Amino acid sequence: MKWLITGAAGMVATDLNRALTERGEDVVALSKSDLDITSSRRVQQAIGDAQPEVVVNCAAWTRVDDAETNEASANAINGSAVELLATAVNRAGAKLIHLSTDFVFDGTKREPYEINDPTAPLSAYGRSKLLGEIASAHAERHVVLRSSWLFGHNGPNFVEAIRRQIAKGTNPLRVVDDQRGRPTYTPHLAEAIIRIAHSDANGILHYADEPECTWFDFARAIVEETGASVTVKPVTTAEFPRPAIRPAYSVLSTERYERVTGVRPASWREGLHEYLHS
Ligand SMILES: NC(=O)c1ccc[n+]([C@@H]2O[C@H](COP(=O)([O-])OP(=O)(O)OC[C@H]3O[C@@H](n4cnc5c(N)ncnc54)[C@H](OP(=O)(O)O)[C@@H]3O)[C@@H](O)[C@H]2O)c1
């Protein structure tokens, strides 16, 4: 299968590119300097030249808090550019796999979000990602793959934030205990993307590692895995105000992914162990 990956220098894209290359797949991996996805001409040219069977859009504006004051820029990359990709993908007869987020939900549910649950983003970033979901549907063959709470070797993430605090000698660590989600190790997400690309699935899918937890639970696991002698104290979101509002509950149901691929999601705890010890 021939693949084209956008945003190739990013966290998910780097692991996807590695997983595909290890399998001997034919991959064209284009970073922002190779292909700015907001340029219609360059998108048409890159996809037209490569003639991929699958385009995985990993390019995105991912600075959640900064999006609050830069919504137009976030919309251009996360929204309008996806329509350009969809048009080029249709011309090439390819399939578009577009990555999206749990932040399209408002977090008022108390049981896992299903693929067809109503979206109601609370932040500019979430709104921009929702625009991208709608735009990706312009591709005749497309998958919107939502994931959550990503950590991996090639980007800033929560595990590194906690390790930085430990290295600075912060004790106790104060971590929010009133937001629930599913942390996801990016090499696991890369495997999920490959499985989905090889399936007949169209439309929305959720992939996230198991099980659900709070940021406090996640921080405790990180401290345990690193062997640091630091106390982790639960605090509320209200004690840690940030520019963008996060959903209090954004547990994604992966039921459709499991049905389509026949595979259960991997464990974030195992991913964390690999991340810290490999
Ligand atoms: N991180 C999470 O916790 C999380 C959770 C759920 C879903 N997601 C989604 O997963 C996807 C991948 O996320 P990630 O964490 O791997 O993001 P990332 O590490 O920030 O990678 C995104 C890449 O896109 C590039 N980019 C930005 N603007 C571009 C443009 N106009 N044209 C081409 N490339 C551009 C960025 O380059 P620069 O850095 O140079 O701008 C960066 O290399 C995104 O769709 C994100 O919304 C992320």
Side-chain angles (χ1 to χ4, degrees):
M1 195 177 262
K2 182 152 190 191
W3 299 71
L4 186 145
I5 304 173
T6 62
M11 185 161 66
V12 174
T14 304
D15 287 327
L16 176 63
N17 190 14
R18 181 176 303 118
L20 289 169
T21 308
E22 277 169 10
R23 282 171 167 76
E25 298 258 5
D26 190 356
V27 190
V28 176
L30 303 174
S31 67
K32 185 159 87 178
S33 55
D34 305 315
L35 173 63
D36 178 342
I37 63 162
T38 62
S39 160
S40 171
R41 183 184 56 79
R42 297 191 62 190
V43 165
Q44 289 295 342
Q45 192 177 4
I47 295 178
D49 287 352
Q51 287 296 309
E53 291 159 272
V54 184
V55 173
V56 185
N57 181 30
C58 296
W61 175 296
T62 53
R63 298 191 308 279
V64 174
D65 288 320
D66 288 349
E68 292 299 312
T69 45
N70 294 281
E71 190 158 358
S73 303
N75 285 346
I77 298 165
N78 293 348
S80 319
V82 183
E83 193 164 339
L84 304 179
L85 289 170
T87 305
V89 156
N90 283 341
R91 281 199 192 148
K95 179 182 205 167
L96 176 64
I97 298 183
H98 174 69
L99 297 184
S100 194
T101 170
D102 53 332
F103 282 22
V104 295
F105 295 119
D106 66 8
T108 52
K109 264 188 100 177
R110 285 299 170 266
E111 56 191 45
Y113 277 97
E114 300 296 341
I115 55 163
N116 291 322
D117 274 329
T119 50
L122 301 171
S123 62
Y125 168 75
R127 288 191 291 275
S128 72
K129 293 299 293 182
L130 184 56
L131 289 177
E133 291 194 0
I134 294 162
S136 65
H138 290 267
E140 280 152 34
R141 296 167 58 225
H142 72 274
V143 168
V144 169
L145 177 58
R146 296 185 185 130
S147 191
S148 58
W149 296 24
L150 301 183
F151 66 100
H153 284 290
N154 305 290
N157 62 69
F158 182 73
V159 184
E160 286 316 306
I162 292 294
R163 283 170 105 186
R164 262 198 313 278
Q165 290 297 318
I166 295 171
K168 271 198 335 203
T170 310
N171 193 4
L173 294 172
R174 292 151 45 81
V175 183
V176 295
D177 196 28
D178 55 1
Q179 287 176 33
R180 287 191 87 72
R182 289 175 68 168
T184 303
Y185 183 43
T186 48
H188 294 166
L189 177 58
E191 293 298 324
I193 293 169
I194 296 170
R195 284 197 189 97
I196 289 164
H198 286 287
S199 77
D200 293 333
N202 247 302
I204 302 171
L205 284 166
H206 292 168
Y207 177 82
D209 282 352
E210 291 183 326
E212 64 175 81
C213 67
T214 67
W215 290 112
F216 167 76
D217 300 326
F218 192 17
R220 273 208 309 200
I222 297 163
V223 168
E224 221 174 273
E225 281 286 341
T226 55
S229 41
V230 178
T231 308
V232 188
K233 280 210 150 148
V235 296
T236 63
T237 302
E239 291 173 74
F240 266 104
R242 295 169 81 177
I245 302 169
R246 271 77 175 161
Y249 180 93
S250 64
V251 176
L252 297 174
S253 162
T254 49
E255 191 268 336
R256 182 168 185 233
Y257 168 81
E258 292 171 49
R259 199 158 23 84
V260 162
T261 64
V263 178
R264 276 186 73 94
S267 138
W268 60 259
R269 186 70 200 236
E270 282 170 23
L272 179 62
H273 184 82
E274 186 179 304
Y275 178 88
L276 291 171
H277 303 290
S278 64

